Amino acid sequence: PGRARTILPPRRRVIALGDSFHRADGAEGLSGRDRERLERMTGLAEWLWLCGNHDPLPHGLGGATAEEAAIAGISLAHLPETGSKPLIAGHLHPAARIAINGRSVRASCFVCDDNLMILPAYGAATGSLNILSPAFQGLIRYDRLQVVMTGRDRVYPVSPRRLVGG
């Protein structure tokens, strides 16, 4: 009766938002094993390394490098900025501290409003910055704020009313 359809696998694309090695010569310091692992990973997907303020130059690993990218009307860049177009960025390494029952918990987080999403950093040397700090003021619309904290095995949406400084 009906014609058979070929179902294609989803397109695999990885976009690293800059400061992937957090220093210009970071890729040179990779162990042979880590370099091999990254080369295998970059061979499995369309891989794009965006340049950051700590790693502005191409680093000789697989994939391509660029200052910024756009997919389906969404811009991707290292540095967050305000604007009318949707943007996904990194750089600020957001973290949230929430207060519950007289105790507080702090963790890296995804933070966004209607146009800007800032992703958390992953790595031991990157640190994090509370999303209530002055660095986020003027970038994020706090009346439209959405926060998702990272956990060990999953992510947790949190109410902005629970956020505390520090």
Side-chain angles (χ1 to χ4, degrees), residues 128-162:
S128 59
L129 186 60
N130 189 302
I131 60 174
L132 297 179
S133 75
F136 289 91
Q137 293 176 5
L139 286 174
I140 296 287
R141 285 190 48 195
Y142 286 98
D143 63 326
R144 307 295 295 163
L145 180 66
Q146 296 180 49
V147 178
V148 179
M149 293 176 75
T150 61
R152 188 173 308 195
D153 298 321
R154 58 177 283 216
V155 294
Y156 301 89
V158 298
S159 169
R161 293 185 314 250
R162 296 213 180 264

Short mmCIF file of all heavy atoms in Angstrom, two decimals, residues 128-162:
data_model
loop_
_atom_site.label_atom_id
_atom_site.label_comp_id
_atom_site.label_asym_id
_atom_site.label_seq_id
_atom_site.Cartn_x
_atom_site.Cartn_y
_atom_site.Cartn_z
N SER A 128 33.23 29.46 38.38
CA SER A 128 31.85 29.82 38.05
C SER A 128 31.50 31.15 38.70
O SER A 128 32.16 31.60 39.63
CB SER A 128 30.89 28.72 38.50
OG SER A 128 30.99 28.53 39.90
N LEU A 129 30.45 31.77 38.19
CA LEU A 129 30.04 33.10 38.63
C LEU A 129 28.55 33.07 38.93
O LEU A 129 27.75 32.63 38.10
CB LEU A 129 30.35 34.09 37.50
CG LEU A 129 30.16 35.56 37.75
CD1 LEU A 129 31.05 36.04 38.90
CD2 LEU A 129 30.51 36.33 36.48
N ASN A 130 28.17 33.54 40.12
CA ASN A 130 26.77 33.56 40.52
C ASN A 130 25.97 34.42 39.54
O ASN A 130 26.37 35.53 39.20
CB ASN A 130 26.62 34.11 41.94
CG ASN A 130 25.21 33.94 42.46
OD1 ASN A 130 24.24 34.42 41.88
ND2 ASN A 130 25.08 33.25 43.58
N ILE A 131 24.83 33.91 39.10
CA ILE A 131 24.04 34.63 38.10
C ILE A 131 23.39 35.91 38.64
O ILE A 131 22.89 36.71 37.87
CB ILE A 131 22.96 33.72 37.47
CG1 ILE A 131 22.00 33.19 38.52
CG2 ILE A 131 23.61 32.60 36.70
CD1 ILE A 131 20.85 32.42 37.96
N LEU A 132 23.46 36.12 39.94
CA LEU A 132 22.98 37.39 40.50
C LEU A 132 24.10 38.43 40.59
O LEU A 132 23.87 39.54 41.04
CB LEU A 132 22.38 37.16 41.89
CG LEU A 132 21.14 36.25 41.93
CD1 LEU A 132 20.65 36.09 43.35
CD2 LEU A 132 20.03 36.78 41.01
N SER A 133 25.30 38.08 40.14
CA SER A 133 26.43 39.02 40.20
C SER A 133 26.27 40.12 39.14
O SER A 133 25.53 39.95 38.16
CB SER A 133 27.75 38.28 40.00
OG SER A 133 27.91 37.94 38.65
N PRO A 134 26.96 41.23 39.33
CA PRO A 134 26.86 42.36 38.38
C PRO A 134 27.21 42.00 36.93
O PRO A 134 26.70 42.64 36.01
CB PRO A 134 27.86 43.38 38.93
CG PRO A 134 27.94 43.07 40.39
CD PRO A 134 27.78 41.58 40.49
N ALA A 135 28.02 40.99 36.70
CA ALA A 135 28.39 40.63 35.33
C ALA A 135 27.19 40.23 34.47
O ALA A 135 27.22 40.38 33.25
CB ALA A 135 29.41 39.49 35.35
N PHE A 136 26.12 39.74 35.10
CA PHE A 136 24.93 39.32 34.36
C PHE A 136 23.92 40.45 34.20
O PHE A 136 23.02 40.35 33.38
CB PHE A 136 24.28 38.12 35.04
CG PHE A 136 25.07 36.85 34.92
CD1 PHE A 136 26.00 36.51 35.88
CD2 PHE A 136 24.91 36.01 33.83
CE1 PHE A 136 26.75 35.36 35.78
CE2 PHE A 136 25.66 34.85 33.72
CZ PHE A 136 26.58 34.52 34.69
N GLN A 137 24.04 41.50 35.00
CA GLN A 137 23.09 42.61 34.92
C GLN A 137 23.23 43.31 33.58
O GLN A 137 24.32 43.59 33.12
CB GLN A 137 23.29 43.56 36.09
CG GLN A 137 22.93 42.93 37.40
CD GLN A 137 23.20 43.82 38.59
OE1 GLN A 137 23.58 44.97 38.45
NE2 GLN A 137 23.03 43.28 39.78
N GLY A 138 22.11 43.57 32.96
CA GLY A 138 22.11 44.19 31.64
C GLY A 138 22.16 43.18 30.51
O GLY A 138 21.86 43.51 29.38
N LEU A 139 22.55 41.95 30.81
CA LEU A 139 22.54 40.89 29.79
C LEU A 139 21.25 40.09 29.86
O LEU A 139 20.61 39.83 28.84
CB LEU A 139 23.71 39.92 30.00
CG LEU A 139 25.09 40.40 29.62
CD1 LEU A 139 26.14 39.38 30.02
CD2 LEU A 139 25.17 40.66 28.12
N ILE A 140 20.89 39.68 31.05
CA ILE A 140 19.72 38.83 31.28
C ILE A 140 18.57 39.68 31.79
O ILE A 140 18.74 40.50 32.68
CB ILE A 140 20.05 37.73 32.32
CG1 ILE A 140 21.12 36.79 31.79
CG2 ILE A 140 18.82 36.96 32.74
CD1 ILE A 140 20.67 35.84 30.71
N ARG A 141 17.39 39.46 31.22
CA ARG A 141 16.19 40.10 31.75
C ARG A 141 15.70 39.26 32.93
O ARG A 141 15.21 38.16 32.75
CB ARG A 141 15.11 40.17 30.68
CG ARG A 141 15.37 41.22 29.64
CD ARG A 141 14.18 41.43 28.74
NE ARG A 141 12.95 41.57 29.52
CZ ARG A 141 11.74 41.47 28.99
NH1 ARG A 141 11.59 41.23 27.71
NH2 ARG A 141 10.67 41.61 29.75
N TYR A 142 15.87 39.80 34.13
CA TYR A 142 15.51 39.03 35.33
C TYR A 142 14.02 38.79 35.44
O TYR A 142 13.60 37.82 36.06
CB TYR A 142 16.08 39.70 36.58
CG TYR A 142 17.57 39.50 36.69
CD1 TYR A 142 18.45 40.50 36.28
CD2 TYR A 142 18.11 38.32 37.16
CE1 TYR A 142 19.83 40.31 36.35
CE2 TYR A 142 19.47 38.11 37.23
CZ TYR A 142 20.32 39.11 36.83
OH TYR A 142 21.68 38.91 36.89
N ASP A 143 13.18 39.61 34.79
CA ASP A 143 11.74 39.37 34.81
C ASP A 143 11.35 38.21 33.89
O ASP A 143 10.23 37.72 33.95
CB ASP A 143 10.96 40.63 34.45
CG ASP A 143 11.24 41.12 33.04
OD1 ASP A 143 12.38 40.97 32.54
OD2 ASP A 143 10.31 41.68 32.41
N ARG A 144 12.27 37.73 33.04
CA ARG A 144 12.04 36.59 32.14
C ARG A 144 13.01 35.44 32.42
O ARG A 144 13.17 34.54 31.62
CB ARG A 144 12.19 37.03 30.68
CG ARG A 144 11.36 38.24 30.27
CD ARG A 144 9.88 38.01 30.32
NE ARG A 144 9.54 37.00 29.34
CZ ARG A 144 8.41 36.33 29.33
NH1 ARG A 144 7.50 36.56 30.24
NH2 ARG A 144 8.17 35.42 28.42
N LEU A 145 13.67 35.48 33.56
CA LEU A 145 14.75 34.56 33.91
C LEU A 145 14.27 33.12 34.06
O LEU A 145 13.25 32.86 34.70
CB LEU A 145 15.39 35.02 35.22
CG LEU A 145 16.54 34.19 35.77
CD1 LEU A 145 17.75 34.28 34.85
CD2 LEU A 145 16.91 34.68 37.16
N GLN A 146 15.03 32.21 33.46
CA GLN A 146 14.85 30.77 33.65
C GLN A 146 16.20 30.19 34.02
O GLN A 146 17.21 30.54 33.42
CB GLN A 146 14.32 30.11 32.39
CG GLN A 146 12.94 30.59 32.00
CD GLN A 146 12.47 29.89 30.74
OE1 GLN A 146 12.54 28.66 30.64
NE2 GLN A 146 12.01 30.67 29.79
N VAL A 147 16.22 29.31 35.02
CA VAL A 147 17.46 28.74 35.52
C VAL A 147 17.30 27.22 35.61
O VAL A 147 16.30 26.73 36.12
CB VAL A 147 17.81 29.30 36.92
CG1 VAL A 147 19.08 28.66 37.46
CG2 VAL A 147 17.92 30.80 36.88
N VAL A 148 18.32 26.51 35.11
CA VAL A 148 18.35 25.05 35.22
C VAL A 148 19.73 24.68 35.77
O VAL A 148 20.74 24.89 35.11
CB VAL A 148 18.10 24.37 33.85
CG1 VAL A 148 18.18 22.86 34.00
CG2 VAL A 148 16.75 24.79 33.28
N MET A 149 19.75 24.17 37.01
CA MET A 149 21.00 23.80 37.66
C MET A 149 21.42 22.40 37.25
O MET A 149 20.58 21.53 37.02
CB MET A 149 20.84 23.88 39.18
CG MET A 149 20.62 25.29 39.68
SD MET A 149 20.32 25.38 41.47
CE MET A 149 21.98 25.11 42.09
N THR A 150 22.74 22.20 37.18
CA THR A 150 23.26 20.88 36.85
C THR A 150 23.42 20.07 38.12
O THR A 150 23.79 20.58 39.16
CB THR A 150 24.61 20.98 36.12
OG1 THR A 150 25.55 21.62 36.98
CG2 THR A 150 24.50 21.74 34.82
N GLY A 151 23.12 18.80 38.01
CA GLY A 151 23.31 17.87 39.11
C GLY A 151 24.24 16.75 38.66
O GLY A 151 24.77 16.78 37.55
N ARG A 152 24.41 15.78 39.49
CA ARG A 152 25.32 14.68 39.17
C ARG A 152 24.82 13.87 37.98
O ARG A 152 25.58 13.52 37.09
CB ARG A 152 25.47 13.78 40.38
CG ARG A 152 26.54 12.72 40.19
CD ARG A 152 26.78 11.98 41.45
NE ARG A 152 27.02 12.98 42.50
CZ ARG A 152 27.54 12.72 43.65
NH1 ARG A 152 27.86 11.50 43.97
NH2 ARG A 152 27.72 13.66 44.54
N ASP A 153 23.51 13.57 37.96
CA ASP A 153 22.97 12.71 36.92
C ASP A 153 21.85 13.34 36.10
O ASP A 153 21.30 12.70 35.21
CB ASP A 153 22.41 11.42 37.54
CG ASP A 153 23.49 10.61 38.23
OD1 ASP A 153 24.60 10.55 37.68
OD2 ASP A 153 23.22 10.06 39.31
N ARG A 154 21.49 14.57 36.41
CA ARG A 154 20.39 15.22 35.69
C ARG A 154 20.45 16.72 35.93
O ARG A 154 21.32 17.20 36.65
CB ARG A 154 19.05 14.66 36.11
CG ARG A 154 18.75 14.77 37.60
CD ARG A 154 17.39 14.26 37.96
NE ARG A 154 16.41 15.26 37.57
CZ ARG A 154 15.31 15.53 38.24
NH1 ARG A 154 15.03 14.86 39.31
NH2 ARG A 154 14.48 16.45 37.85
N VAL A 155 19.53 17.45 35.32
CA VAL A 155 19.43 18.89 35.53
C VAL A 155 18.14 19.19 36.28
O VAL A 155 17.19 18.40 36.25
CB VAL A 155 19.49 19.67 34.20
CG1 VAL A 155 20.84 19.51 33.54
CG2 VAL A 155 18.37 19.26 33.26
N TYR A 156 18.13 20.35 36.98
CA TYR A 156 17.01 20.70 37.84
C TYR A 156 16.54 22.13 37.56
O TYR A 156 17.29 23.08 37.83
CB TYR A 156 17.44 20.62 39.32
CG TYR A 156 17.92 19.26 39.73
CD1 TYR A 156 19.27 18.90 39.59
CD2 TYR A 156 17.03 18.33 40.24
CE1 TYR A 156 19.70 17.65 39.97
CE2 TYR A 156 17.47 17.06 40.62
CZ TYR A 156 18.80 16.73 40.47
OH TYR A 156 19.24 15.48 40.84
N PRO A 157 15.33 22.29 37.03
CA PRO A 157 14.81 23.65 36.90
C PRO A 157 14.55 24.21 38.29
O PRO A 157 14.08 23.49 39.18
CB PRO A 157 13.52 23.48 36.11
CG PRO A 157 13.19 22.03 36.17
CD PRO A 157 14.42 21.28 36.54
N VAL A 158 14.88 25.48 38.50
CA VAL A 158 14.68 26.10 39.81
C VAL A 158 13.93 27.42 39.64
O VAL A 158 14.09 28.12 38.65
CB VAL A 158 16.00 26.33 40.58
CG1 VAL A 158 16.69 25.02 40.86
CG2 VAL A 158 16.92 27.24 39.83
N SER A 159 13.18 27.76 40.64
CA SER A 159 12.46 29.01 40.64
C SER A 159 13.43 30.16 40.93
O SER A 159 14.21 30.08 41.89
CB SER A 159 11.37 29.00 41.72
OG SER A 159 10.84 30.30 41.88
N PRO A 160 13.38 31.22 40.14
CA PRO A 160 14.24 32.38 40.42
C PRO A 160 14.01 32.96 41.83
O PRO A 160 14.90 33.59 42.38
CB PRO A 160 13.85 33.38 39.34
CG PRO A 160 13.35 32.54 38.21
CD PRO A 160 12.65 31.38 38.89
N ARG A 161 12.85 32.71 42.42
CA ARG A 161 12.58 33.21 43.78
C ARG A 161 13.50 32.57 44.81
O ARG A 161 13.71 33.10 45.88
CB ARG A 161 11.12 32.95 44.17
CG ARG A 161 10.12 33.76 43.36
CD ARG A 161 8.72 33.53 43.88
NE ARG A 161 8.45 32.12 44.09
CZ ARG A 161 7.62 31.38 43.36
NH1 ARG A 161 6.96 31.92 42.38
NH2 ARG A 161 7.44 30.12 43.62
N ARG A 162 14.04 31.42 44.51
CA ARG A 162 14.92 30.71 45.44
C ARG A 162 16.38 31.13 45.34
O ARG A 162 17.22 30.69 46.11
CB ARG A 162 14.82 29.21 45.24
CG ARG A 162 13.46 28.65 45.56
CD ARG A 162 13.61 27.26 46.10
NE ARG A 162 12.34 26.66 46.42
CZ ARG A 162 11.82 26.66 47.64
NH1 ARG A 162 12.44 27.25 48.62
NH2 ARG A 162 10.66 26.07 47.87
#
